[in-house]
Amino acid sequence: MTLHAWWLFVVAIFLLCGTPGPNMLHVMTRSIAFGARRSVAAMAGCLTALVLVLAASAAGVSALLAAWPRVFDALRYAGVAYLIFLGIKAWRGAGSPIDVGDDTTPVALTPTVSAWRLFRGGFVIGISNPKLLLFAAAFLPQFVDRASPQAPQFAILVVTFAVVESFWYGVYAAGGRTLARYMTRPALRRTFDRVTGAIFVGFGLALLRVRA
């Protein structure tokens, strides 16, 4: 892939990973309950699940593209549509506060919970996200050069995704209660959603133009 395509990918997933979702909120609640240092086990669980799903999906998509090159165009348009959908969804949902709730799961109520249980909880959260497989299948191929070997390119994308995701885990774990308090304010949430939505739509249109 070109350096330009890789940078587009980095910026896009930086925004996507930073958007509060199941993994990020799980890491944040583990940090609130047990402290940022102990929440590392939960981060490792979430990240392990994410890498496994992305790698499996990338391997399948890579094989599919090698067998049926025309599938690439279908995936390209699906990925662009998915980005635009995310942007519209974020814009229309602007102002909806994030409900971080009161974490009353047995794990949160056990002060001596083991690192393994924290890891297992994070893994379950990550592996049970049905949107991740769709994301990998529709989004990753947008940044792959069909004229070059695809497996190394997918490997680079998966590793890049994991690094960016890990960065945001650290931010959410360190932010803890402060981040949760800010993101539950409707005015800040509205601004965040609208800016994110506009950027996602812009990226979708940009990718369509670049690949056309």
Side-chain angles (χ1 to χ4, degrees):
M1 73 190 74
T2 65
L3 184 62
H4 175 69
W6 182 78
W7 272 113
L8 277 177
F9 178 76
V10 170
V11 175
I13 62 171
F14 184 83
L15 294 170
L16 183 65
C17 292
T19 303
N23 283 15
M24 296 303 168
L25 294 182
H26 181 75
V27 168
M28 185 170 64
T29 56
R30 297 307 90 175
S31 177
I32 292 173
F34 305 108
R37 183 174 299 179
R38 294 205 65 203
S39 68
V40 170
M43 298 181 207
C46 290
L47 190 63
T48 300
L50 180 140
V51 171
L52 285 176
V53 173
L54 288 181
S57 179
V61 171
S62 180
L64 184 64
L65 293 180
W68 294 289
R70 292 186 178 181
V71 174
F72 184 92
D73 287 331
L75 288 175
R76 176 168 69 92
Y77 290 117
V80 169
Y82 183 61
L83 275 177
I84 295 175
F85 166 76
L86 288 177
I88 294 174
K89 182 179 179 181
W91 185 279
R92 294 183 64 182
S96 301
I98 298 173
D99 181 13
V100 297
D102 295 323
D103 201 335
T104 57
T105 61
V107 172
L109 298 177
T110 307
T112 58
V113 63
S114 66
W116 165 246
R117 290 190 66 187
L118 289 172
F119 175 90
R120 185 178 61 188
F123 184 85
V124 170
I125 289 291
I127 206 71
S128 62
N129 184 359
K131 296 180 180 179
L132 182 57
L133 188 62
L134 172 64
F135 168 81
F139 189 69
L140 295 184
Q142 311 303 312
F143 305 91
V144 173
D145 183 0
R146 284 180 288 181
S148 302
Q150 295 169 8
Q153 296 182 74
F154 276 113
I156 292 172
L157 295 178
V158 171
V159 171
T160 302
F161 196 108
V163 171
V164 174
E165 181 85 352
S166 298
F167 167 79
W168 279 111
Y169 286 167
V171 171
Y172 274 75
R177 296 182 187 278
T178 301
L179 184 62
R181 184 171 61 251
Y182 279 115
M183 292 306 293
T184 53
R185 295 180 181 178
L188 292 179
R189 177 64 175 173
R190 183 180 302 111
T191 300
F192 178 86
D193 281 343
R194 287 183 173 174
V195 170
T196 301
I199 292 176
F200 276 147
V201 170
F203 266 111
L205 296 177
L207 283 175
L208 184 63
R209 182 178 180 181
V210 168
R211 292 289 189 176

